[in-house]
Amino acid sequence: MNLEKIYSELLSNIGFSANEIQKNWIDLEKAYSKKSRHYHNLTHLKEMIASFETYRDKLQNPNEVLFSIFYHDYVYSASKKDNELKSAEYAVSIFTDDKPDRFLKPVGFAEFDRQLVFDAICATQQHKQNVIEDINWLIDFDLKILAKDWEDYKIYFEQIRKEYRIYPDFLYKPGRAKALKHFLENEFIFQTNEFRGLYEEKARANIEKEILLIT
């Protein structure tokens, strides 16, 4: 999968110039390639985009969802709690225009719902059911990793641990267990019927198994 090609075609369709696209891609690639990113990196984007391409026909606003995928973890720090908000703010900020309302569609760009992008990226923090179905699909693309085969799931949670390496086990393990139990306490992990049918049972089994390992 050629992420740069997919990204460039998307931004071109939205209305960005070639120079803007090149600059924005360099910034994006740099952000997702930081050494501190063991999971929230370009590979994570590729996996989400693979899901996006499978279910593109289900989406009302595929360009906005794809754009949200590229920017949903643009800002990521294990010690911060506002990564999604900062990522959402950055995502809409690359639409340079002089209008006072950053969510208005600027002259020169194709019809593009920046408010949807902002809301979608923010929604990846809590992963809760949303009234906008496109956002539910984005959430499920983000969480699909939870339903991987156990060996792949194990690699995933080991990568997450590396991202949180600044915290000792006595702090990390209870926090991780609490976050995992939160998923299990919800009626569903996945927000779309499609993903629930395919992945809900496997994701719950993986999470339960990880909790046993760390408690």
Side-chain angles (χ1 to χ4, degrees):
M1 180 185 292
N2 188 329
L3 281 183
E4 183 178 2
K5 183 173 183 290
I6 295 170
Y7 179 85
S8 298
E9 289 177 353
L10 172 65
L11 264 64
S12 179
N13 290 337
I14 294 171
F16 286 87
S17 69
N19 286 340
E20 289 172 326
I21 292 169
Q22 183 179 30
K23 176 187 179 299
N24 286 323
W25 168 254
I26 290 171
D27 290 343
L28 186 103
E29 186 178 37
K30 182 179 178 181
Y32 281 90
S33 300
K34 292 178 180 176
K35 290 182 179 180
S36 59
R37 293 189 181 229
H38 299 273
Y39 174 72
H40 294 90
N41 51 31
L42 295 173
T43 299
H44 175 50
L45 293 189
K46 287 180 179 180
E47 292 195 352
M48 286 186 69
I49 291 171
S51 293
F52 164 83
E53 290 177 345
T54 299
Y55 295 101
R56 177 193 289 264
D57 292 344
K58 305 275 189 180
L59 304 171
Q60 295 295 315
N61 301 278
N63 283 346
E64 284 83 350
V65 173
L66 182 56
F67 189 89
S68 298
I69 290 173
F70 274 113
Y71 281 97
H72 80 288
D73 285 327
Y74 183 87
V75 176
Y76 184 79
S77 171
S79 62
K80 300 296 173 93
K81 304 213 179 270
D82 61 351
N83 292 320
E84 292 81 8
L85 174 61
K86 294 298 185 184
S87 295
E89 289 175 342
Y90 184 83
V92 298
S93 78
I94 73 167
F95 291 83
T96 53
D97 60 84
D98 57 4
K99 296 200 169 45
D101 185 343
R102 64 184 175 185
F103 297 125
L104 290 176
K105 299 179 180 68
V107 176
F109 289 97
E111 290 292 306
F112 188 82
D113 190 346
R114 286 185 282 169
Q115 182 68 59
L116 175 58
V117 167
F118 185 88
D119 293 343
I121 294 175
C122 287
T124 62
Q125 180 176 29
Q126 297 295 330
H127 298 107
K128 291 183 178 179
Q129 183 74 23
N130 198 282
V131 295
I132 299 173
E133 194 63 11
D134 277 358
I135 294 180
N136 291 327
W137 282 105
L138 177 69
I139 291 169
D140 283 359
F141 298 160
D142 194 24
L143 294 183
K144 187 183 175 186
I145 184 67
L146 299 178
K148 289 277 191 176
D149 290 339
W150 175 251
E151 287 306 313
D152 289 329
Y153 180 85
K154 187 170 178 287
I155 291 170
Y156 149 71
F157 71 68
E158 288 171 349
Q159 290 171 336
I160 295 294
R161 181 65 185 102
K162 289 178 182 177
E163 290 185 341
Y164 282 82
R165 65 187 178 278
I166 60 172
Y167 299 104
D169 279 350
F170 78 88
L171 289 177
Y172 175 78
K173 288 184 176 182
R176 176 69 176 173
K178 182 179 178 181
L180 293 172
K181 289 174 182 176
H182 181 69
F183 278 119
L184 298 181
E185 289 165 359
N186 292 334
E187 184 178 3
F188 294 106
I189 292 171
F190 296 104
Q191 309 308 314
T192 65
N193 290 330
E194 186 95 21
F195 271 56
R196 286 174 188 169
L198 290 170
Y199 305 120
E200 186 77 20
E201 185 177 346
K202 185 71 169 289
R204 287 183 175 273
N206 282 339
I207 289 171
E208 289 169 356
K209 193 170 180 178
E210 183 186 352
I211 290 173
L212 287 175
L213 288 176
I214 62 177
T215 56

